[in-house]
mmCIF file of all heavy atoms in Angstrom:
data_model
loop_
_atom_site.group_PDB
_atom_site.id
_atom_site.type_symbol
_atom_site.label_atom_id
_atom_site.label_comp_id
_atom_site.label_asym_id
_atom_site.label_seq_id
_atom_site.Cartn_x
_atom_site.Cartn_y
_atom_site.Cartn_z
ATOM 1 N N ALA A 1 -1.592 20.716 9.775
ATOM 2 C CA ALA A 1 -1.456 19.964 8.525
ATOM 3 C C ALA A 1 -0.369 20.620 7.685
ATOM 4 O O ALA A 1 -0.487 21.773 7.297
ATOM 5 C CB ALA A 1 -2.777 19.953 7.771
ATOM 6 N N ILE A 2 0.696 19.869 7.411
ATOM 7 C CA ILE A 2 1.850 20.466 6.728
ATOM 8 C C ILE A 2 1.949 20.009 5.278
ATOM 9 O O ILE A 2 2.564 20.674 4.449
ATOM 10 C CB ILE A 2 3.155 20.164 7.497
ATOM 11 C CG1 ILE A 2 4.261 21.147 7.111
ATOM 12 C CG2 ILE A 2 3.593 18.724 7.304
ATOM 13 C CD1 ILE A 2 4.018 22.550 7.582
ATOM 14 N N GLU A 3 1.362 18.847 4.942
ATOM 15 C CA GLU A 3 1.437 18.369 3.559
ATOM 16 C C GLU A 3 0.295 17.398 3.269
ATOM 17 O O GLU A 3 -0.008 16.525 4.079
ATOM 18 C CB GLU A 3 2.776 17.688 3.293
ATOM 19 C CG GLU A 3 2.991 17.320 1.827
ATOM 20 C CD GLU A 3 4.392 16.792 1.564
ATOM 21 O OE1 GLU A 3 4.657 15.614 1.888
ATOM 22 O OE2 GLU A 3 5.209 17.562 1.044
ATOM 23 N N ILE A 4 -0.306 17.559 2.108
ATOM 24 C CA ILE A 4 -1.353 16.654 1.633
ATOM 25 C C ILE A 4 -0.870 15.953 0.370
ATOM 26 O O ILE A 4 -0.327 16.587 -0.539
ATOM 27 C CB ILE A 4 -2.661 17.421 1.345
ATOM 28 C CG1 ILE A 4 -3.295 17.883 2.666
ATOM 29 C CG2 ILE A 4 -3.656 16.570 0.559
ATOM 30 C CD1 ILE A 4 -4.536 18.737 2.491
ATOM 31 N N ASN A 5 -1.060 14.659 0.347
ATOM 32 C CA ASN A 5 -0.708 13.818 -0.806
ATOM 33 C C ASN A 5 0.776 13.859 -1.173
ATOM 34 O O ASN A 5 1.160 13.903 -2.342
ATOM 35 C CB ASN A 5 -1.596 14.134 -2.013
ATOM 36 C CG ASN A 5 -3.008 13.608 -1.828
ATOM 37 O OD1 ASN A 5 -3.221 12.648 -1.107
ATOM 38 N ND2 ASN A 5 -3.969 14.240 -2.477
ATOM 39 N N GLY A 6 1.587 13.807 -0.135
ATOM 40 C CA GLY A 6 3.007 13.505 -0.272
ATOM 41 C C GLY A 6 3.252 12.184 0.439
ATOM 42 O O GLY A 6 2.323 11.589 0.997
ATOM 43 N N PRO A 7 4.479 11.684 0.454
ATOM 44 C CA PRO A 7 4.765 10.445 1.181
ATOM 45 C C PRO A 7 4.624 10.644 2.685
ATOM 46 O O PRO A 7 4.952 11.718 3.202
ATOM 47 C CB PRO A 7 6.206 10.126 0.787
ATOM 48 C CG PRO A 7 6.784 11.426 0.345
ATOM 49 C CD PRO A 7 5.665 12.221 -0.241
ATOM 50 N N VAL A 8 4.109 9.631 3.380
ATOM 51 C CA VAL A 8 3.991 9.683 4.834
ATOM 52 C C VAL A 8 4.587 8.404 5.426
ATOM 53 O O VAL A 8 4.755 7.395 4.734
ATOM 54 C CB VAL A 8 2.526 9.834 5.301
ATOM 55 C CG1 VAL A 8 1.956 11.162 4.848
ATOM 56 C CG2 VAL A 8 1.667 8.660 4.815
ATOM 57 N N THR A 9 4.880 8.464 6.716
ATOM 58 C CA THR A 9 5.402 7.303 7.430
ATOM 59 C C THR A 9 4.352 6.804 8.413
ATOM 60 O O THR A 9 3.757 7.603 9.146
ATOM 61 C CB THR A 9 6.682 7.659 8.206
ATOM 62 O OG1 THR A 9 7.652 8.185 7.297
ATOM 63 C CG2 THR A 9 7.261 6.432 8.895
ATOM 64 N N VAL A 10 4.133 5.495 8.417
ATOM 65 C CA VAL A 10 3.258 4.874 9.404
ATOM 66 C C VAL A 10 4.050 3.738 10.047
ATOM 67 O O VAL A 10 4.435 2.785 9.363
ATOM 68 C CB VAL A 10 1.966 4.330 8.771
ATOM 69 C CG1 VAL A 10 1.074 3.721 9.849
ATOM 70 C CG2 VAL A 10 1.224 5.431 8.022
ATOM 71 N N HIS A 11 4.311 3.877 11.333
ATOM 72 C CA HIS A 11 5.191 2.964 12.066
ATOM 73 C C HIS A 11 6.551 2.952 11.363
ATOM 74 O O HIS A 11 7.304 3.897 11.468
ATOM 75 C CB HIS A 11 4.573 1.576 12.203
ATOM 76 C CG HIS A 11 5.369 0.659 13.074
ATOM 77 N ND1 HIS A 11 5.728 0.995 14.366
ATOM 78 C CD2 HIS A 11 5.909 -0.564 12.846
ATOM 79 C CE1 HIS A 11 6.446 0.029 14.888
ATOM 80 N NE2 HIS A 11 6.582 -0.934 13.986
ATOM 81 N N ASP A 12 6.852 1.867 10.586
ATOM 82 C CA ASP A 12 8.171 1.812 9.952
ATOM 83 C C ASP A 12 8.095 1.645 8.436
ATOM 84 O O ASP A 12 9.057 1.210 7.812
ATOM 85 C CB ASP A 12 9.013 0.694 10.566
ATOM 86 C CG ASP A 12 8.396 -0.690 10.360
ATOM 87 O OD1 ASP A 12 7.241 -0.763 9.885
ATOM 88 O OD2 ASP A 12 9.073 -1.699 10.661
ATOM 89 N N ILE A 13 6.943 1.994 7.834
ATOM 90 C CA ILE A 13 6.848 1.917 6.372
ATOM 91 C C ILE A 13 6.462 3.277 5.796
ATOM 92 O O ILE A 13 5.926 4.138 6.499
ATOM 93 C CB ILE A 13 5.842 0.844 5.909
ATOM 94 C CG1 ILE A 13 4.396 1.296 6.160
ATOM 95 C CG2 ILE A 13 6.129 -0.505 6.555
ATOM 96 C CD1 ILE A 13 3.356 0.455 5.445
ATOM 97 N N VAL A 14 6.741 3.441 4.508
ATOM 98 C CA VAL A 14 6.354 4.654 3.788
ATOM 99 C C VAL A 14 5.131 4.350 2.939
ATOM 100 O O VAL A 14 5.057 3.299 2.288
ATOM 101 C CB VAL A 14 7.502 5.152 2.890
ATOM 102 C CG1 VAL A 14 7.063 6.374 2.094
ATOM 103 C CG2 VAL A 14 8.725 5.490 3.731
ATOM 104 N N VAL A 15 4.170 5.259 2.970
ATOM 105 C CA VAL A 15 2.967 5.142 2.132
ATOM 106 C C VAL A 15 2.928 6.338 1.192
ATOM 107 O O VAL A 15 3.107 7.485 1.620
ATOM 108 C CB VAL A 15 1.686 5.104 2.990
ATOM 109 C CG1 VAL A 15 0.455 5.013 2.092
ATOM 110 C CG2 VAL A 15 1.725 3.935 3.975
ATOM 111 N N TYR A 16 2.697 6.051 -0.089
ATOM 112 C CA TYR A 16 2.590 7.099 -1.105
ATOM 113 C C TYR A 16 1.141 7.245 -1.554
ATOM 114 O O TYR A 16 0.404 6.243 -1.599
ATOM 115 C CB TYR A 16 3.457 6.753 -2.318
ATOM 116 C CG TYR A 16 4.939 6.780 -2.051
ATOM 117 C CD1 TYR A 16 5.605 5.648 -1.583
ATOM 118 C CD2 TYR A 16 5.689 7.942 -2.256
ATOM 119 C CE1 TYR A 16 6.972 5.673 -1.324
ATOM 120 C CE2 TYR A 16 7.054 7.976 -2.002
ATOM 121 C CZ TYR A 16 7.690 6.837 -1.540
ATOM 122 O OH TYR A 16 9.041 6.862 -1.280
ATOM 123 N N PRO A 17 0.716 8.459 -1.895
ATOM 124 C CA PRO A 17 -0.635 8.600 -2.448
ATOM 125 C C PRO A 17 -0.752 7.762 -3.723
ATOM 126 O O PRO A 17 0.162 7.748 -4.543
ATOM 127 C CB PRO A 17 -0.739 10.101 -2.755
ATOM 128 C CG PRO A 17 0.672 10.597 -2.830
ATOM 129 C CD PRO A 17 1.456 9.739 -1.890
ATOM 130 N N GLY A 18 -1.847 7.035 -3.835
ATOM 131 C CA GLY A 18 -2.026 6.141 -4.975
ATOM 132 C C GLY A 18 -1.757 4.689 -4.641
ATOM 133 O O GLY A 18 -2.185 3.787 -5.366
ATOM 134 N N ASP A 19 -1.031 4.427 -3.536
ATOM 135 C CA ASP A 19 -0.855 3.043 -3.091
ATOM 136 C C ASP A 19 -2.217 2.419 -2.801
ATOM 137 O O ASP A 19 -3.162 3.125 -2.404
ATOM 138 C CB ASP A 19 -0.034 2.986 -1.794
ATOM 139 C CG ASP A 19 1.449 3.220 -1.999
ATOM 140 O OD1 ASP A 19 1.897 3.298 -3.156
ATOM 141 O OD2 ASP A 19 2.171 3.330 -0.981
ATOM 142 N N LEU A 20 -2.298 1.115 -2.953
ATOM 143 C CA LEU A 20 -3.497 0.401 -2.519
ATOM 144 C C LEU A 20 -3.321 0.035 -1.051
ATOM 145 O O LEU A 20 -2.337 -0.611 -0.678
ATOM 146 C CB LEU A 20 -3.723 -0.862 -3.342
ATOM 147 C CG LEU A 20 -4.857 -1.765 -2.831
ATOM 148 C CD1 LEU A 20 -6.205 -1.084 -3.017
ATOM 149 C CD2 LEU A 20 -4.838 -3.120 -3.521
ATOM 150 N N ILE A 21 -4.273 0.446 -0.219
ATOM 151 C CA ILE A 21 -4.277 0.075 1.185
ATOM 152 C C ILE A 21 -5.245 -1.080 1.381
ATOM 153 O O ILE A 21 -6.412 -1.007 0.966
ATOM 154 C CB ILE A 21 -4.713 1.255 2.076
ATOM 155 C CG1 ILE A 21 -3.758 2.450 1.903
ATOM 156 C CG2 ILE A 21 -4.788 0.822 3.537
ATOM 157 C CD1 ILE A 21 -2.344 2.187 2.337
ATOM 158 N N VAL A 22 -4.769 -2.170 1.984
ATOM 159 C CA VAL A 22 -5.660 -3.252 2.397
ATOM 160 C C VAL A 22 -5.465 -3.437 3.891
ATOM 161 O O VAL A 22 -4.341 -3.354 4.404
ATOM 162 C CB VAL A 22 -5.382 -4.572 1.637
ATOM 163 C CG1 VAL A 22 -5.650 -4.380 0.150
ATOM 164 C CG2 VAL A 22 -3.968 -5.080 1.845
ATOM 165 N N ALA A 23 -6.558 -3.665 4.626
ATOM 166 C CA ALA A 23 -6.467 -3.774 6.077
ATOM 167 C C ALA A 23 -7.518 -4.733 6.606
ATOM 168 O O ALA A 23 -8.616 -4.828 6.063
ATOM 169 C CB ALA A 23 -6.630 -2.398 6.722
ATOM 170 N N ASP A 24 -7.154 -5.431 7.680
ATOM 171 C CA ASP A 24 -8.088 -6.308 8.383
ATOM 172 C C ASP A 24 -7.645 -6.400 9.836
ATOM 173 O O ASP A 24 -6.851 -5.567 10.300
ATOM 174 C CB ASP A 24 -8.196 -7.684 7.697
ATOM 175 C CG ASP A 24 -6.863 -8.415 7.581
ATOM 176 O OD1 ASP A 24 -5.921 -8.089 8.356
ATOM 177 O OD2 ASP A 24 -6.737 -9.302 6.721
ATOM 178 N N ASP A 25 -8.128 -7.388 10.557
ATOM 179 C CA ASP A 25 -7.822 -7.472 11.982
ATOM 180 C C ASP A 25 -6.334 -7.694 12.271
ATOM 181 O O ASP A 25 -5.871 -7.439 13.389
ATOM 182 C CB ASP A 25 -8.622 -8.602 12.633
ATOM 183 C CG ASP A 25 -10.092 -8.247 12.806
ATOM 184 O OD1 ASP A 25 -10.427 -7.059 12.654
ATOM 185 O OD2 ASP A 25 -10.900 -9.147 13.084
ATOM 186 N N SER A 26 -5.583 -8.172 11.288
ATOM 187 C CA SER A 26 -4.160 -8.459 11.504
ATOM 188 C C SER A 26 -3.266 -7.250 11.305
ATOM 189 O O SER A 26 -2.107 -7.249 11.732
ATOM 190 C CB SER A 26 -3.698 -9.585 10.571
ATOM 191 O OG SER A 26 -4.385 -10.785 10.845
ATOM 192 N N GLY A 27 -3.758 -6.208 10.634
ATOM 193 C CA GLY A 27 -2.949 -5.031 10.347
ATOM 194 C C GLY A 27 -3.299 -4.462 8.999
ATOM 195 O O GLY A 27 -4.429 -4.607 8.511
ATOM 196 N N PHE A 28 -2.327 -3.795 8.348
ATOM 197 C CA PHE A 28 -2.593 -3.249 7.017
ATOM 198 C C PHE A 28 -1.348 -3.344 6.141
ATOM 199 O O PHE A 28 -0.223 -3.455 6.636
ATOM 200 C CB PHE A 28 -3.102 -1.805 7.091
ATOM 201 C CG PHE A 28 -2.025 -0.751 7.225
ATOM 202 C CD1 PHE A 28 -1.494 -0.131 6.108
ATOM 203 C CD2 PHE A 28 -1.548 -0.384 8.475
ATOM 204 C CE1 PHE A 28 -0.502 0.833 6.223
ATOM 205 C CE2 PHE A 28 -0.561 0.581 8.606
ATOM 206 C CZ PHE A 28 -0.038 1.195 7.470
ATOM 207 N N CYS A 29 -1.580 -3.318 4.825
ATOM 208 C CA CYS A 29 -0.502 -3.334 3.835
ATOM 209 C C CYS A 29 -0.693 -2.174 2.869
ATOM 210 O O CYS A 29 -1.827 -1.767 2.571
ATOM 211 C CB CYS A 29 -0.505 -4.634 3.022
ATOM 212 S SG CYS A 29 -0.418 -6.147 3.982
ATOM 213 N N ALA A 30 0.429 -1.651 2.370
ATOM 214 C CA ALA A 30 0.419 -0.639 1.316
ATOM 215 C C ALA A 30 1.072 -1.241 0.080
ATOM 216 O O ALA A 30 2.276 -1.534 0.087
ATOM 217 C CB ALA A 30 1.168 0.610 1.765
ATOM 218 N N VAL A 31 0.281 -1.454 -0.960
ATOM 219 C CA VAL A 31 0.764 -2.057 -2.198
ATOM 220 C C VAL A 31 1.069 -0.953 -3.205
ATOM 221 O O VAL A 31 0.172 -0.158 -3.527
ATOM 222 C CB VAL A 31 -0.289 -3.020 -2.803
ATOM 223 C CG1 VAL A 31 0.253 -3.675 -4.070
ATOM 224 C CG2 VAL A 31 -0.716 -4.066 -1.774
ATOM 225 N N PRO A 32 2.298 -0.832 -3.697
ATOM 226 C CA PRO A 32 2.591 0.187 -4.709
ATOM 227 C C PRO A 32 1.637 0.082 -5.891
ATOM 228 O O PRO A 32 1.315 -1.031 -6.328
ATOM 229 C CB PRO A 32 4.037 -0.133 -5.121
ATOM 230 C CG PRO A 32 4.621 -0.825 -3.931
ATOM 231 C CD PRO A 32 3.494 -1.626 -3.344
ATOM 232 N N TYR A 33 1.206 1.219 -6.396
ATOM 233 C CA TYR A 33 0.188 1.236 -7.451
ATOM 234 C C TYR A 33 0.578 0.370 -8.642
ATOM 235 O O TYR A 33 -0.258 -0.374 -9.187
ATOM 236 C CB TYR A 33 -0.042 2.682 -7.900
ATOM 237 C CG TYR A 33 -1.106 2.810 -8.976
ATOM 238 C CD1 TYR A 33 -2.453 2.827 -8.648
ATOM 239 C CD2 TYR A 33 -0.753 2.905 -10.325
ATOM 240 C CE1 TYR A 33 -3.429 2.936 -9.627
ATOM 241 C CE2 TYR A 33 -1.724 3.009 -11.306
ATOM 242 C CZ TYR A 33 -3.060 3.035 -10.956
ATOM 243 O OH TYR A 33 -4.015 3.129 -11.939
ATOM 244 N N GLU A 34 1.860 0.404 -9.027
ATOM 245 C CA GLU A 34 2.294 -0.320 -10.219
ATOM 246 C C GLU A 34 2.301 -1.841 -10.016
ATOM 247 O O GLU A 34 2.400 -2.598 -10.984
ATOM 248 C CB GLU A 34 3.675 0.152 -10.668
ATOM 249 C CG GLU A 34 4.798 -0.106 -9.683
ATOM 250 C CD GLU A 34 4.968 0.982 -8.635
ATOM 251 O OE1 GLU A 34 4.055 1.838 -8.498
ATOM 252 O OE2 GLU A 34 6.012 0.967 -7.945
ATOM 253 N N LEU A 35 2.165 -2.295 -8.761
ATOM 254 C CA LEU A 35 2.172 -3.733 -8.480
ATOM 255 C C LEU A 35 0.789 -4.283 -8.124
ATOM 256 O O LEU A 35 0.657 -5.475 -7.837
ATOM 257 C CB LEU A 35 3.132 -4.039 -7.332
ATOM 258 C CG LEU A 35 4.630 -3.897 -7.624
ATOM 259 C CD1 LEU A 35 5.431 -4.173 -6.356
ATOM 260 C CD2 LEU A 35 5.055 -4.848 -8.738
ATOM 261 N N VAL A 36 -0.222 -3.443 -8.135
ATOM 262 C CA VAL A 36 -1.549 -3.854 -7.655
ATOM 263 C C VAL A 36 -2.076 -5.077 -8.397
ATOM 264 O O VAL A 36 -2.538 -6.054 -7.780
ATOM 265 C CB VAL A 36 -2.544 -2.678 -7.755
ATOM 266 C CG1 VAL A 36 -3.987 -3.167 -7.583
ATOM 267 C CG2 VAL A 36 -2.227 -1.626 -6.710
ATOM 268 N N ASP A 37 -2.014 -5.079 -9.720
ATOM 269 C CA ASP A 37 -2.550 -6.200 -10.499
ATOM 270 C C ASP A 37 -1.709 -7.464 -10.322
ATOM 271 O O ASP A 37 -2.241 -8.568 -10.205
ATOM 272 C CB ASP A 37 -2.639 -5.829 -11.981
ATOM 273 C CG ASP A 37 -3.711 -4.779 -12.253
ATOM 274 O OD1 ASP A 37 -4.654 -4.676 -11.445
ATOM 275 O OD2 ASP A 37 -3.590 -4.063 -13.270
ATOM 276 N N THR A 38 -0.397 -7.297 -10.285
ATOM 277 C CA THR A 38 0.499 -8.447 -10.125
ATOM 278 C C THR A 38 0.303 -9.110 -8.767
ATOM 279 O O THR A 38 0.231 -10.338 -8.659
ATOM 280 C CB THR A 38 1.964 -8.004 -10.282
ATOM 281 O OG1 THR A 38 2.133 -7.397 -11.553
ATOM 282 C CG2 THR A 38 2.909 -9.189 -10.157
ATOM 283 N N VAL A 39 0.220 -8.302 -7.725
ATOM 284 C CA VAL A 39 0.016 -8.839 -6.377
ATOM 285 C C VAL A 39 -1.325 -9.566 -6.296
ATOM 286 O O VAL A 39 -1.421 -10.656 -5.710
ATOM 287 C CB VAL A 39 0.104 -7.718 -5.322
ATOM 288 C CG1 VAL A 39 -0.355 -8.222 -3.952
ATOM 289 C CG2 VAL A 39 1.524 -7.181 -5.232
ATOM 290 N N LEU A 40 -2.351 -8.999 -6.897
ATOM 291 C CA LEU A 40 -3.667 -9.640 -6.872
ATOM 292 C C LEU A 40 -3.636 -10.989 -7.577
ATOM 293 O O LEU A 40 -4.167 -11.984 -7.065
ATOM 294 C CB LEU A 40 -4.708 -8.727 -7.536
ATOM 295 C CG LEU A 40 -6.112 -9.314 -7.647
ATOM 296 C CD1 LEU A 40 -6.684 -9.645 -6.272
ATOM 297 C CD2 LEU A 40 -7.031 -8.351 -8.397
ATOM 298 N N GLU A 41 -3.009 -11.029 -8.732
ATOM 299 C CA GLU A 41 -2.906 -12.281 -9.486
ATOM 300 C C GLU A 41 -2.229 -13.368 -8.656
ATOM 301 O O GLU A 41 -2.691 -14.510 -8.595
ATOM 302 C CB GLU A 41 -2.135 -12.029 -10.787
ATOM 303 C CG GLU A 41 -1.984 -13.239 -11.682
ATOM 304 C CD GLU A 41 -1.171 -12.932 -12.926
ATOM 305 O OE1 GLU A 41 -1.081 -11.748 -13.313
ATOM 306 O OE2 GLU A 41 -0.623 -13.894 -13.509
ATOM 307 N N GLN A 42 -1.131 -13.006 -7.998
ATOM 308 C CA GLN A 42 -0.412 -13.975 -7.178
ATOM 309 C C GLN A 42 -1.225 -14.377 -5.946
ATOM 310 O O GLN A 42 -1.219 -15.543 -5.528
ATOM 311 C CB GLN A 42 0.941 -13.409 -6.761
ATOM 312 C CG GLN A 42 1.910 -13.253 -7.922
ATOM 313 C CD GLN A 42 3.328 -12.925 -7.467
ATOM 314 O OE1 GLN A 42 3.675 -13.104 -6.303
ATOM 315 N NE2 GLN A 42 4.143 -12.442 -8.388
ATOM 316 N N ALA A 43 -1.935 -13.424 -5.364
ATOM 317 C CA ALA A 43 -2.737 -13.715 -4.178
ATOM 318 C C ALA A 43 -3.850 -14.711 -4.495
ATOM 319 O O ALA A 43 -4.113 -15.637 -3.711
ATOM 320 C CB ALA A 43 -3.329 -12.429 -3.614
ATOM 321 N N ILE A 44 -4.491 -14.542 -5.631
ATOM 322 C CA ILE A 44 -5.559 -15.464 -6.030
ATOM 323 C C ILE A 44 -4.988 -16.864 -6.243
ATOM 324 O O ILE A 44 -5.578 -17.870 -5.813
ATOM 325 C CB ILE A 44 -6.266 -14.949 -7.295
ATOM 326 C CG1 ILE A 44 -7.069 -13.679 -6.967
ATOM 327 C CG2 ILE A 44 -7.178 -16.027 -7.883
ATOM 328 C CD1 ILE A 44 -7.641 -12.969 -8.177
ATOM 329 N N ALA A 45 -3.821 -16.944 -6.884
ATOM 330 C CA ALA A 45 -3.184 -18.250 -7.124
ATOM 331 C C ALA A 45 -2.819 -18.930 -5.805
ATOM 332 O O ALA A 45 -3.013 -20.136 -5.631
ATOM 333 C CB ALA A 45 -1.941 -18.079 -7.989
ATOM 334 N N ILE A 46 -2.287 -18.151 -4.857
ATOM 335 C CA ILE A 46 -1.914 -18.703 -3.549
ATOM 336 C C ILE A 46 -3.142 -19.220 -2.812
ATOM 337 O O ILE A 46 -3.137 -20.312 -2.232
ATOM 338 C CB ILE A 46 -1.177 -17.640 -2.707
ATOM 339 C CG1 ILE A 46 0.239 -17.426 -3.245
ATOM 340 C CG2 ILE A 46 -1.128 -18.042 -1.229
ATOM 341 C CD1 ILE A 46 0.959 -16.250 -2.628
#
């Protein structure tokens, strides 16, 4: 273990501590913390 709570790479994306992780059978998404409410609002509308 070389670093805890720094940025990491998963496949071809970067995940930062504090991002919202959502996952299901199709895969997973990392939502930047500052966009969590905005993304949710748009998702509900869609």
Side-chain angles (χ1 to χ4, degrees):
I2 200 69
E3 187 173 78
I4 289 176
N5 287 334
V8 295
T9 303
V10 181
H11 186 54
D12 62 351
I13 73 166
V14 177
V15 179
Y16 292 88
D19 284 353
L20 172 68
I21 300 297
V22 297
D24 58 21
D25 286 347
S26 297
F28 83 93
C29 304
V31 182
Y33 181 82
E34 63 274 13
L35 289 177
V36 166
D37 291 336
T38 302
V39 170
L40 177 60
E41 181 182 338
Q42 292 190 17
I44 291 171
I46 287 171

